[in-house]
Amino acid sequence: MASGMKIDTAELAGLAAEGGLYGVFVCLFCVCGYDLIQRRTRFKSQLSWPMVLAAVLLIVLATARFSVDTANVFVAFIHHDPRAARIAYLADVTQPLFITKHSLLIAVLLVGDSFVNYRCWVVWGKNVWIVLFPIALSFTSAAAGSYTMWAYSHLPNQTVLSEAKWLKAFFALSLVANAFATSMLAYRIWSVDRQTKGGMESGASRLTPIVRIVLESGLINAAFLFVYVMTLEFGTQGLEIMSEMAVPMTGIVFSIVILRVGHQRHDDSYYTQRPATISWAVAKRSRLGTATTLTVGESTVPMEVYVKKSVNESEFESHMSFSSAA
């Protein structure tokens, strides 16, 4: 083991960082819940139950992880003295608390990856072939992590780094799965935005911020997993700090994406629709106003434009009414 930070110091530092991030996650979770309720009331929108399920699972797992980490530190510092005994306890990978807290990390990463895969599946019109590759990577990653926990508790002479290759596979596969699904998700939104702008007037797009949000969240998650893998490669005790920060960090990224994308007032199914293209037919004059048609995709929607002259006949007041699409 590399000299420098001892594992008891790393556990304390990690618990402090985790406590701060957990507090941020709890606040964001409450804000997201309030925002979802307000949007449902104001815009009569339907709740995305997979999103709600993922959010509840993440907050429950983050709470469990913070509780287990706190209990682990208390047990180490209260029941194990001198420091050599405390370090030996914390480095013992067969301890139930050690297995439990890292199993929670595996579950959190699987939930986070699964939700990204689900959004990608919905955005791509529920095309299973698009998400088959990241789903396979996500579950293979979870299997590698589960095997590592099994090896720690069943194989003799185990240390944190004795199963390093499986840990690297666990984080690397999760990294690739998340990066692929995020890229496909961002590409789909970008392509819909590009096609939509092709049939509309030029101007600022409302979808461009969503692409940026998706890419930013993916980059944050990818950067964190990359640092985790590099920490594992160098074999430092900073691994424990990264491990304890990972769970609330996943929840924070999830909450920020849901909160910011939610203000665009589009759910994921919006991007499965064909972009609207507008073509104006020759107008028919009438005594009340002007009638024309609006073509959306391949459907023609009747539309009437009523024009009323003002007193000075130099200004006009117009009103457009659309009938429902066939």
Side-chain angles (χ1 to χ4, degrees), residues 50-314:
M51 180 180 66
V52 174
L53 177 62
V56 172
L57 284 175
L58 287 176
I59 194 67
V60 169
L61 292 171
T63 302
R65 175 61 193 259
F66 184 60
S67 302
V68 171
D69 285 335
T70 303
N72 190 46
V73 169
F74 269 72
V75 170
F77 280 84
I78 294 176
H79 298 288
H80 295 83
D81 201 46
R83 188 181 187 187
R86 181 163 60 246
I87 292 175
Y89 166 78
L90 292 172
D92 186 2
V93 297
T94 64
Q95 292 294 328
L97 288 177
F98 181 93
I99 299 296
T100 301
K101 69 177 190 175
H102 288 89
S103 298
L104 290 171
L105 172 60
I106 295 170
V108 165
L109 290 183
L110 180 60
V111 170
D113 289 349
S114 297
F115 182 71
V116 176
N117 293 336
Y118 168 78
R119 290 195 65 203
C120 187
W121 175 67
V122 172
V123 165
W124 278 91
K126 298 184 178 180
N127 185 349
V128 70
W129 296 105
I130 295 294
V131 295
L132 192 60
F133 178 65
I135 287 176
L137 290 179
S138 297
F139 280 96
T140 304
S141 171
S146 300
Y147 169 79
T148 304
M149 296 302 103
W150 177 88
Y152 282 158
S153 57
H154 290 83
L155 299 182
N157 303 321
Q158 290 290 304
T159 64
V160 173
L161 298 179
S162 60
E163 301 295 334
K165 63 181 181 179
W166 287 102
L167 286 175
K168 292 175 185 176
F170 166 58
F171 290 110
L173 289 171
S174 178
L175 171 62
V176 175
N178 194 281
F180 181 86
T182 301
S183 299
M184 295 300 294
L185 181 62
Y187 172 76
R188 177 63 177 178
I189 297 174
W190 172 82
S191 62
V192 170
D193 179 44
R194 185 167 175 266
Q195 294 176 42
T196 302
K197 290 178 68 177
M200 303 292 240
E201 293 183 359
S202 60
S205 171
R206 296 186 62 186
L207 301 188
T208 301
I210 301 180
V211 177
R212 186 171 63 249
I213 292 167
V214 171
L215 290 177
E216 286 175 356
S217 64
L219 288 175
I220 291 172
N221 195 44
F224 188 83
L225 290 175
F226 178 77
V227 172
Y228 207 126
V229 172
M230 290 298 99
T231 305
L232 183 62
E233 177 68 23
F234 291 116
T236 67
Q237 294 297 349
L239 185 66
E240 293 302 321
I241 300 177
M242 299 296 297
S243 173
E244 294 177 12
M245 291 173 59
V247 173
M249 182 68 74
T250 302
I252 288 172
V253 172
F254 172 87
S255 301
I256 290 175
V257 171
I258 297 305
L259 188 61
R260 293 180 65 186
V261 172
H263 286 278
Q264 304 298 318
R265 293 179 60 181
H266 290 314
D267 59 11
D268 291 333
S269 61
Y270 169 83
Y271 307 104
T272 65
Q273 303 170 3
R274 295 189 61 182
T277 58
I278 298 179
S279 61
W280 300 96
V282 177
K284 298 179 180 178
R285 290 187 174 275
S286 67
R287 189 167 58 87
L288 291 176
T290 303
T292 185
T293 59
L294 171 66
T295 302
V296 181
E298 296 179 353
S299 300
T300 300
V301 182
M303 180 185 71
E304 291 186 350
V305 182
Y306 297 96
V307 181
K308 179 181 179 181
K309 290 185 178 181
S310 63
V311 176
N312 57 13
E313 297 187 356
S314 61

Side-chain angles (χ1 to χ4, degrees), residues 12-28 62 66 70 244-245 247-249 252:
L12 277 177
L15 183 63
E18 181 184 11
L21 292 174
Y22 175 73
V24 173
F25 178 33
V26 170
C27 292
L28 286 174
F66 184 60
T70 303
E244 294 177 12
M245 291 173 59
V247 173
M249 182 68 74
I252 288 172

